Amino acid sequence: MLQDPGQDDHDGDLELDTSALDGPDPHAGEGLDPDDCIPLDDQREQVGYELFDWDPSELDELDDVLHEMGVPHEWVSDGYEVVVHEEDEARLDALLPTIRFPDELPEEADDGDDTDVQVLSDLFVAADRLQTTTAGEAVSAFLDAAERVGEHPPYGVGEKEWDHVVELVDQLIDLFHADGPPEEITELAYQLRRRLRPLV
């Protein structure tokens, strides 16, 4: 559920009073200092995760891990919903199952060769942005997605088609490292976007 920045139920540090409720207080664990948490930036897009079916111990553990990871976050909905920056959504998606279902990891969790299907979407969005700007966050987003390209294609994508995608990604990386002409970067980004469009 995407939230508008600045529309959290609580301002500043979260101090929940759940004495009259059955719900958990994510900051109730011993030794947990809410001030250690980096506050959310109201100028950046945010996304919320509703965790109404989570146990108090699970919410406490999630809050502890978010603090350890240094992920800016806030708790709303009486402590049953955690809000993070949209850019941290992928990290939360990967983290939540490890806390809720620690004994139910996928059988292929240790196989780091296959490319996560999310990379397709991230590369597509990055290529689209590179057609309008070849600097700043557009480049960072592309390079971040490129680093997650595995040895094998995502599920459902043919090896030959994936080879074309990887070739374009590699060419773009080389251009960035060589400080290549913006027009060449834009053209390759356009070709990459066309390659990815049928796959996302």
Side-chain angles (χ1 to χ4, degrees), residues 28-188:
E30 292 185 2
L32 183 61
D33 184 2
D35 293 332
D36 291 340
C37 178
I38 305 172
L40 293 176
D41 183 349
D42 290 345
Q43 301 304 313
R44 293 152 71 181
E45 292 296 325
Q46 301 170 13
V47 60
Y49 289 80
E50 296 181 348
L51 309 172
F52 291 101
D53 56 343
W54 281 46
D55 294 332
S57 61
E58 294 171 334
L59 292 171
D60 287 340
E61 182 179 355
L62 173 59
D63 189 69
D64 288 344
V65 173
L66 290 176
H67 275 74
E68 293 172 2
M69 294 172 61
V71 176
H73 65 283
E74 292 181 7
W75 291 92
V76 298
S77 302
D78 294 324
Y80 284 102
E81 181 179 352
V82 64
V83 181
V84 298
H85 291 135
E86 191 177 44
E87 64 197 51
D88 290 320
E89 184 176 4
R91 300 174 71 183
L92 263 290
D93 288 341
L95 173 63
L96 296 182
T98 68
I99 294 177
R100 193 78 199 283
F101 308 108
D103 299 324
E104 298 182 18
L105 295 178
E107 294 182 2
E108 300 180 359
D110 294 331
D111 183 2
D113 294 333
D114 290 343
T115 303
D116 191 306
V117 68
Q118 179 63 36
V119 174
L120 288 174
S121 177
D122 293 345
L123 282 174
F124 178 82
V125 172
D128 188 66
R129 294 177 64 187
L130 286 174
Q131 292 179 73
T132 57
T133 177
T134 59
E137 292 186 3
V139 176
S140 299
F142 169 78
L143 293 177
D144 178 71
E147 287 180 358
R148 292 182 280 122
V149 172
E151 180 179 347
H152 301 297
Y155 178 80
V157 179
E159 291 279 355
K160 188 172 296 186
E161 182 63 27
W162 185 242
D163 287 343
H164 291 307
V165 170
V166 172
E167 181 180 355
L168 289 170
V169 169
D170 288 340
Q171 290 179 30
L172 275 168
I173 291 175
D174 291 340
L175 275 178
F176 286 129
H177 288 328
D179 198 19
E183 57 270 20
E184 290 187 25
I185 295 175
T186 300
E187 175 58 26
L188 281 177

